Amino acid sequence: MLCLTGSRSLEPAVFPFSFLPDRFVSLPDLDHTVFLRRTFDIAAKAAEEGSHPFGAIVVGADGTILLEQGNAYLPDHDMTGHAERVIATRASKAYRPEELAGATLYSSAEPCAMCAGAAYWAGIGRIVYGLSEARLKTITGNHPENPTLDMPCREVLATGQRTVEVVGPMLEDEAAEMHLTFWASRA
Ligand SMILES: Nc1nc2[nH]cnc2c(=O)[nH]1
């Protein structure tokens, strides 16, 4: 058993990746389109409230929506308030690693390098996204509120030491619609 110098011993659950190898984590067969469309609704609400049009949800292995999050640019003009980064932090605090290994992060747009990293560190097993970063970049250009990175999340995740399954782009034209109007009006 591993012990710290204090009185608290570390149970294996603290080290999920050492006892939950990829081959033991099976991800559920879910209807991605239903959950992605939910992220589009969340994204639209975030934009109505003055933030940016991005939304994310975390869905558990049994198909239950565990968390929802819109982009959190407002109220503080937080440029790191991406929906996926915030929800990954929340998920990591609220759920056990075993639960998150079987969970799916749905996002209206492809997670940027920061958000892919956050999902990785939270231990989320799968990412499903709508709009690709490459296409988002063609819409936002070098907008000061969204100078899109254009780094495929698969490339970020490929540098990690455990597998995160990635599905996307999916429903991409639908996902692009709100960005076309939003960023044009924000020019
Ligand atoms: N994927 C993604 N890109 C963003 N760019 C600015 N905000 C966001 C966000 O919440 N999600």
Side-chain angles (χ1 to χ4, degrees):
M1 184 194 295
L2 269 160
C3 288
L4 290 178
T5 40
S7 59
R8 188 168 160 256
S9 67
L10 290 181
E11 295 302 324
V14 178
F15 295 108
F17 306 141
S18 63
F19 83 108
L20 259 186
D22 286 343
R23 64 183 181 280
F24 294 138
V25 178
S26 70
L27 288 154
D29 196 13
L30 300 174
D31 183 348
H32 296 325
T33 60
V34 170
F35 292 118
L36 266 184
R37 288 196 170 112
R38 176 73 196 139
T39 70
F40 299 166
D41 291 344
I42 295 166
K45 186 160 175 280
E48 272 166 34
E49 292 170 357
S51 283
H52 300 154
F54 299 91
I57 60 176
V58 172
V59 175
D62 65 355
T64 305
I65 295 180
L66 303 178
L67 296 168
E68 297 190 335
Q69 181 68 51
N71 173 275
Y73 175 64
L74 289 187
D76 306 318
H77 300 96
D78 181 0
M79 290 292 282
T80 68
H82 291 195
E84 309 96 298
R85 200 279 299 157
V86 176
I87 206 170
T89 300
R90 288 177 58 205
S92 180
K93 291 177 183 175
Y95 292 95
R96 286 176 292 120
E98 308 89 283
E99 293 172 294
L100 294 180
T104 304
L105 167 64
Y106 288 89
S107 179
S108 59
E110 182 173 1
C112 71
M114 169 182 74
C115 296
Y120 173 82
W121 285 111
I124 293 168
R126 178 169 57 191
I127 294 171
V128 180
Y129 66 87
L131 181 67
S132 69
E133 271 220 303
R135 180 129 169 226
L136 177 65
K137 189 181 176 192
T138 68
I139 299 170
T140 64
N142 190 20
H143 194 289
E145 286 181 28
N146 204 96
T148 306
L149 272 174
D150 195 2
M151 160 66 81
C153 69
R154 286 178 178 87
E155 286 187 23
V156 176
L157 295 166
T159 66
Q161 300 186 65
R162 66 183 182 85
T163 307
V164 181
E165 191 180 313
V166 180
V167 180
M170 239 185 131
L171 304 178
E172 197 174 28
D173 290 340
E174 213 173 307
E177 267 170 38
M178 71 188 112
H179 287 279
L180 289 165
T181 45
F182 181 87
W183 295 108
S185 73
R186 203 92 162 181

